[in-house]
């Protein structure tokens, strides 16, 4: 290289300049390539990179593409990937966004934007900061079953009978308070009824129990993060300094606490892009508040608003019904979806004498399409408002031997065997966690009976100690019979053994779990619990799926730990709909509620039961105004699931309490056709 190096080039400086120009040209060509895939409104949203931005993305208008391409454009324009935060509402949406962004950016890029759900983001913040609030860094996240057990204990301590306030009722009140950022003391001062006063007292006991157990619930992830931001400015500053650009998907589904957290994070730079559709805001019943997307231009006066109205999914006739229907809502951002395909025969509205005739005729048509026209059963969906409605359709589908899938059945994480084994993992992670400890102390049976457990609980309560302390101290002769003491010692040794193995072998968490399952002989427990061989096979398969989930986690985590797996799994159990992806892949006509159908699309949709009292639901009509608007948005979601064909149907009578009851056609049937609603339709449905 003495003669070489750059000796044959005019100069190293000019070569470097040419190289940079070529690189810049390559990047520009790449950008033109993916930007050319966008329509004008999408391109404007993708290339608006600073300041507050509201993207109103109508149904089927490509919102996921916009938010993903915008991440790529931010990076192409020089924003470091680690300075970008994109927030979604489900793990599925988060994974999809990460995969699409990775494809756009090229697989070789090591640094990625952070794509996270609200709860995952807050969990990661708390993992590093929660000690300030007096919680352990390896806090447990309680699932619904754990929460109910804690709520039941709180109500028992207060001597509140279940007929006055159930554990589920208490948890609903607590969730509502936490979603509004209201703590136990504030709740006590804000009550206006005896029932609320009981719930506020239960809230204090419940929250004290969580803290004592070193645990948080799902709502606490947001609630405690908000508490950190408000009470500890240094924590907020650290989090604000992490991100220069923030994006929020499905913004219409945010609640007050989520808005407060995001507003705090972007306060220094206000580089916030939110994407959503107020016409698809259907989760008010679980705390979402449509006013956040409606009031965004007032909250951020300098905001730019871009409307995505080109719909590439449905026919003009279907979209005409959807536009006409939702225009009846009083508070909304004005927009009209525009179709890119036409089919005059794509919409049908049908009346039936009774609910049985409706189910029979819909299924008869579906069976004919499948057998005579070779339509794939998976291209057909039957949508309904309530969980009681599909029974008649299931009966007719079975009779016609048409394969079907009822979406929204039991979650993987709610299965008994999965809850048992997760409880073992939680005890191995943190034996002081009493709810999982009590679940598996004698599962499978090991000679620790109810009397022994009662003594452990009593001794712990009297001495103000944890139950695990009493397990460790149990000796024959005092309060425990020799056999019980021996069984407790065996359980204690088992937990200690696997605590050590999980800690020492973080890259073999799955193998350690397999050895634990074998040692406790859990497969024998399955055979004792279920009589049928098909159930044995199914439950064993589910156990295998859990082992695979652990292996998958350890293979992709930078620093896998048992605690990390448990936290991720608890979030997955709450942020993913029950086995929805697996059910969608199964062959068969899809039956699902309108809430479950959001985000999906099908060539053929049957929207059934369009009657007052069902859609809009009786409860929303009684509660008035805004609730009927949400029901109308729900009907709009149903209509816009259809790509090529939509049938809207209703029955004149339905059997209720053993007698046929007259049904009134839904006001939405008239509204979607642009007709005035007859006054008698608006009368409240009978009980």
């Amino acid at each position: 290289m003495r003669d070489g190096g750059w000796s044959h080039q005019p100069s190293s400086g000019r070569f470097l300049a040419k190289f940079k120009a070529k690189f810049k040209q390559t990047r520009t060509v790449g950008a033109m390539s993916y930007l050319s895939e966008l329509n004008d409104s999408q391109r404007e949203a993708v290339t608006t990179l600073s300041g507050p931005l509201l993207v109103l993305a109508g149904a089927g208008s490509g919102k996921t593409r916009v938010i993903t391409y915008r991440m790529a454009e931010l990076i192409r324009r020089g924003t470091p990937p680690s300075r970008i935060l994109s927030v979604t509402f489900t793990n599925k949406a988060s994974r999809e966004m990460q995969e699409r962004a990775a494809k756009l950016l090229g697989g070789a890029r090591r640094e990625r934007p952070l794509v996270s759900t609200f709860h995952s983001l807050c969990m990661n913040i708390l993992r590093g900061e929660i000690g300030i609030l007096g919680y352990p860094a390896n806090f447990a996240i309680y699932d619904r079953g754990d929460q109910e057990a804690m709520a039941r204990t709180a109500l028992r301590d207060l001597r509140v009978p279940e007929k006055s306030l159930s554990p589920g009722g208490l948890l609903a009140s607590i969730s509502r308070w936490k979603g509004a950022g209201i703590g136990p003391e504030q709740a006590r001062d804000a009550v206006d009824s005896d029932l609320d006063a009981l719930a506020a007292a239960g809230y204090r006991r419940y929250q004290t129990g969580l803290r004592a157990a070193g645990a948080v619930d799902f709502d606490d992830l947001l609630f405690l993060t908000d508490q950190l931001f408000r009470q500890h400015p240094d924590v907020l500053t650290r989090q604000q300094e992490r991100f220069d650009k923030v994006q929020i998907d499905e913004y219409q589904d945010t609640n007050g606490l989520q808005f407060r957290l995001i507003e705090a994070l972007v306060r220094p730079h206000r580089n916030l892009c939110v994407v959503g559709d107020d016409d698809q805001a259907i989760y008010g019943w679980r705390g979402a508040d449509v006013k956040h997307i409606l009031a965004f231009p007032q909250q951020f006066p300098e905001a730019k608003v871009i409307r995505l109205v080109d719909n590439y999914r449905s026919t003009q006739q279907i979209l005409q019904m959807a536009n006409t229907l939702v225009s009846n809502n009083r508070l909304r951002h004005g927009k009209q979806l525009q179709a890119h395909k036409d089919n005059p025969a794509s919409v049908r509205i049908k009346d039936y004498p009774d609910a049985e005739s409706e189910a029979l005729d819909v299924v008869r048509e579906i069976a004919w399409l499948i057998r005579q026209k070779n339509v794939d059963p998976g291209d057909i969906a039957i949508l309904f408002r309530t969980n009681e409605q599909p029974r008649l359709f299931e009966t007719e589908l079975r009779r016609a031997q048409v394969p079907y899938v009822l979406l929204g059945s039991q979650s993987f994480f709610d299965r008994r065997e999965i809850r048992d084994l997760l409880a073992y993992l939680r005890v191995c992670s943190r034996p002081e966690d009493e709810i999982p400890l009590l679940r598996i102390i004698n599962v499978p049976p090991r000679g620790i009976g109810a009397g022994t457990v009662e003594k452990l609980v009593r001794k712990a309560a009297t001495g103000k100690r944890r139950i695990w302390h009493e397990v460790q101290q149990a000796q024959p002769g005092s309060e425990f019979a020799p056999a019980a003491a021996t069984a407790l010692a065996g359980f204690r040794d088992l937990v200690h053994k696997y605590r050590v193995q999980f800690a020492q072998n973080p890259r073999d968490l799955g193998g350690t779990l397999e050895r634990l399952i074998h040692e406790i002989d859990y497969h024998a427990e399955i055979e004792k619990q279920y009589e049928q061989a098909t159930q044995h096979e199914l439950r064993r398969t589910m156990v295998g799926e859990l082992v695979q989930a652990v292996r998958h986690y350890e293979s992709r985590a930078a620093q896998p730990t048992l605690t990390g797996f448990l936290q991720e799994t608890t979030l997955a159990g709450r942020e993913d709909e029950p086995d929805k992806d697996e059910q969608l892949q199964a062959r068969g006509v899809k039956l699902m509620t309108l809430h479950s159908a959001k985000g999906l699309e099908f060539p053929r949709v049957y929207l059934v039961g369009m009657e007052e009292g069902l859609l809009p639901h009786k409860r929303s009509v009684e509660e008035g105004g805004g609730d009927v608007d949400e029901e109308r948005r729900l009907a709009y979601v149903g209509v816009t699931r259809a790509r090529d064909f939509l049938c809207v149907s209703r029955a004149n009578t339905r059997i209720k309490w053993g007698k046929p009851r007259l049904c009134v056609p839904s006001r939405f049937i008239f509204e979607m056709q642009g007709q005035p609603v007859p006054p008698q339709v608006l009368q409240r449905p009978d009980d």
Side-chain angles (χ1 to χ4, degrees):
M1 292 290 291
R2 279 176 63 180
D3 300 329
W6 304 110
S7 61
H8 298 292
Q9 301 294 339
S11 79
S12 61
R14 269 184 288 169
F15 178 82
L16 192 58
K18 285 177 68 178
F19 178 81
K20 286 183 175 178
K22 184 70 174 174
F23 179 67
K24 184 176 181 181
Q25 182 184 20
T26 303
R27 288 176 60 184
T28 303
V29 170
M32 290 174 62
S33 174
Y34 69 71
L35 290 178
S36 67
E37 300 172 10
L38 306 173
N39 63 36
D40 291 344
S41 299
Q42 291 172 334
R43 192 178 303 112
E44 184 183 7
V46 166
T47 55
T48 301
L49 304 178
S50 298
L53 171 64
L54 170 60
V55 181
L56 293 168
S61 64
K63 78 173 175 59
T64 304
R65 169 178 283 194
V66 164
I67 203 166
T68 307
Y69 280 38
R70 189 173 182 274
M71 274 196 294
E73 186 67 4
L74 282 167
I75 294 167
R76 191 184 72 83
R77 297 280 192 92
T79 302
S82 61
R83 308 290 299 173
I84 301 170
L85 168 66
S86 289
V87 182
T88 68
F89 274 84
T90 67
N91 285 315
K92 179 189 174 185
S94 176
R95 287 191 299 270
E96 181 182 351
M97 199 176 293
Q98 286 170 329
E99 289 164 4
R100 292 175 72 162
K103 188 174 180 181
L104 280 175
L105 296 169
R109 185 184 292 271
R110 294 179 63 185
E111 195 180 21
R112 301 284 183 196
L114 176 58
V115 183
S116 172
T117 64
F118 272 103
H119 290 87
S120 294
L121 172 67
C122 291
M123 182 190 72
N124 288 324
I125 292 171
L126 291 175
R127 194 177 279 167
E129 308 278 8
I130 199 170
I132 302 173
L133 300 178
Y135 289 80
N138 67 333
F139 58 88
I141 305 174
Y142 275 8
D143 63 15
R144 179 70 185 190
D146 301 329
Q147 288 180 262
E148 288 180 353
M150 184 66 76
R152 193 170 287 108
T153 299
L155 292 171
R156 188 176 63 238
D157 291 347
L158 292 168
R159 294 183 170 82
V160 176
E162 193 159 325
K163 64 182 180 182
S164 299
L165 180 62
S166 69
L170 173 59
L171 290 175
S173 295
I174 291 172
S175 184
R176 186 178 69 250
W177 278 319
K178 287 184 178 179
I182 297 172
E185 300 309 316
Q186 295 166 288
R188 181 187 60 188
D189 297 335
V191 299
D192 54 10
S193 71
D194 290 343
L195 186 60
D196 279 349
L198 283 179
Y203 183 9
R204 287 196 302 277
R205 288 291 183 113
Y206 171 85
Q207 204 65 13
T208 299
L210 282 180
R211 184 189 289 266
V216 302
D217 64 19
F218 196 64
D219 293 317
D220 274 333
L221 295 174
L222 273 61
F223 177 72
L224 294 177
T225 303
D226 177 63
Q227 189 176 326
L228 276 173
F229 284 4
R230 287 186 291 106
Q231 297 178 2
H232 301 277
D234 55 322
V235 173
L236 175 57
T237 299
R238 277 197 294 276
Q239 298 304 319
Q240 287 172 333
E241 290 173 349
R242 291 176 62 189
F243 306 109
D244 298 323
K245 310 285 184 178
V246 177
Q247 303 186 137
I248 311 294
D249 191 17
E250 301 285 9
Y251 189 66
Q252 76 279 354
D253 294 337
T254 52
N255 63 26
L257 202 52
Q258 289 161 338
F259 170 77
R260 212 153 76 186
L261 288 167
I262 291 301
E263 189 281 325
L265 278 177
V266 304
R267 202 173 292 152
H269 53 72
R270 297 170 77 81
N271 289 322
L272 173 64
C273 168
V274 301
V275 182
D277 183 9
D278 51 300
D279 289 335
Q280 296 186 73
I282 59 172
Y283 294 118
W285 51 275
R286 68 183 189 195
D289 194 339
V290 69
K291 76 179 182 186
H292 295 127
I293 194 168
L294 293 175
F296 190 85
Q298 287 74 50
Q299 291 153 348
F300 297 90
E302 73 275 35
K304 185 175 187 177
V305 180
I306 297 172
R307 289 168 169 80
L308 307 182
V309 294
D310 287 282
N311 177 288
Y312 300 96
R313 175 191 298 163
S314 306
T315 68
Q316 175 61 41
Q317 291 70 25
I318 292 170
L319 290 188
Q320 180 62 44
M321 286 180 64
N323 287 329
T324 306
L325 170 67
V326 81
S327 67
N328 286 275
N329 271 358
R330 297 162 298 173
L331 298 173
R332 61 185 291 264
H333 289 289
K335 52 192 172 299
Q336 288 276 313
L337 293 179
Q338 299 170 6
H340 285 257
K341 61 181 181 181
D342 187 70
N343 179 3
S346 60
V347 171
R348 186 195 308 153
I349 297 176
K350 294 196 73 171
D351 297 347
Y352 292 98
D354 51 53
E356 290 76 10
S357 300
E358 180 186 39
L360 177 63
D361 191 60
V362 167
V363 171
R364 185 181 291 154
E365 178 172 297
I366 289 171
W368 180 81
L369 288 166
I370 293 170
R371 288 165 186 151
Q372 302 299 320
K373 296 296 182 180
N374 295 317
V375 173
D376 189 319
D379 287 345
I380 303 171
I382 301 174
L383 308 183
F384 40 84
R385 174 63 179 87
T386 69
N387 285 314
E388 293 76 35
Q389 288 174 259
R391 182 185 62 80
L392 290 172
F393 292 91
E394 286 193 82
T395 299
E396 294 301 334
L397 287 163
R398 283 197 295 268
R399 185 177 295 159
Q401 298 183 330
V402 171
Y404 73 91
V405 181
L406 179 61
L407 272 77
S409 59
Q410 186 181 35
S411 166
F412 174 78
F413 297 101
D414 286 337
R415 296 179 183 275
R416 175 177 178 169
E417 61 276 12
I418 301 305
R419 291 177 62 83
D420 283 348
L421 294 174
L422 286 176
Y424 267 100
L425 295 181
R426 289 171 56 188
V427 170
C428 289
S429 173
R430 198 166 179 277
E432 297 83 7
D433 197 349
E434 295 185 344
I435 290 176
L437 177 70
L438 291 174
R439 180 182 181 93
I440 51 92
I441 196 168
N442 199 41
V443 174
R446 55 174 55 89
I448 305 174
T452 301
V453 172
E454 188 178 335
K455 288 176 185 176
L456 288 168
V457 172
R458 186 175 62 246
K459 282 172 67 67
T462 302
K464 296 184 178 179
R465 294 183 294 264
R466 312 304 299 173
I467 293 173
W468 178 245
H469 173 84
E470 302 303 333
V471 171
Q472 291 179 299
Q473 299 301 314
Q475 298 293 330
S478 53
E479 292 187 50
F480 299 103
T486 300
L488 287 169
F491 178 65
R492 178 178 66 231
D493 293 345
L494 177 80
V495 171
H496 176 71
K497 173 182 175 180
Y498 283 96
R499 265 177 70 76
V500 171
Q501 289 194 23
F502 280 118
Q504 290 182 345
N505 302 290
R507 287 290 175 192
D508 190 31
L509 299 176
T512 304
L513 174 56
E514 279 190 309
R515 291 190 291 275
L516 172 59
I517 292 167
H518 178 74
E519 183 160 344
I520 63 175
D521 199 7
Y522 194 81
H523 290 303
E525 173 70 2
I526 288 174
E527 292 182 5
K528 281 191 286 186
Q529 291 293 331
Y530 303 98
E531 294 181 1
Q532 297 179 344
T534 53
Q535 281 293 323
H536 298 165
E537 184 61 32
L538 173 64
R539 305 290 167 168
R540 282 195 293 267
T541 300
M542 292 300 105
V543 170
E545 286 293 315
L546 179 62
V547 174
Q548 279 302 108
V550 175
R551 291 193 188 283
H552 181 61
Y553 162 78
E554 71 190 37
S555 70
R556 59 184 166 72
Q559 294 180 312
T561 64
L562 182 57
T563 299
F565 169 74
L566 290 168
Q567 291 184 345
E568 185 177 284
T569 299
T570 305
L571 290 184
R574 291 294 296 267
E575 293 180 335
D576 284 339
E577 296 182 58
D579 296 333
K580 189 172 177 179
D581 287 345
E582 183 181 330
Q583 293 170 340
L584 285 170
Q585 295 301 317
R587 183 177 182 272
V589 176
K590 305 302 185 289
L591 277 68
M592 70 189 85
T593 65
L594 288 162
H595 285 100
S596 295
K598 186 174 180 294
L600 304 177
E601 58 184 77
F602 301 91
R604 299 184 69 88
V605 168
Y606 294 84
L607 179 51
V608 301
M610 284 288 285
E611 300 139 29
E612 289 289 305
L614 281 178
L615 187 65
H617 195 276
K618 177 176 180 290
R619 185 174 56 249
S620 69
V621 174
E622 291 172 344
E623 292 171 0
D627 293 304
V628 173
D629 284 359
E630 181 157 320
E631 292 288 299
R632 187 176 287 109
R633 293 193 290 266
L634 194 56
Y636 171 86
V637 165
V639 170
T640 54
R641 297 314 92 195
R643 295 211 300 255
D644 305 314
F645 174 80
L646 170 71
C647 177
V648 177
S649 63
R650 73 172 188 92
N652 287 316
T653 61
R654 286 185 186 273
I655 301 296
K656 191 171 183 182
W657 307 117
K659 296 180 180 178
R661 303 293 295 270
L662 189 65
C663 299
V664 177
S666 170
R667 67 191 72 185
F668 301 152
I669 289 181
F670 299 95
E671 291 176 354
M672 63 179 59
Q673 298 177 90
Q675 300 172 358
V677 180
Q680 61 269 28
V681 167
L682 301 180
Q683 295 173 358
R684 291 186 177 179
D686 295 332
D687 291 331

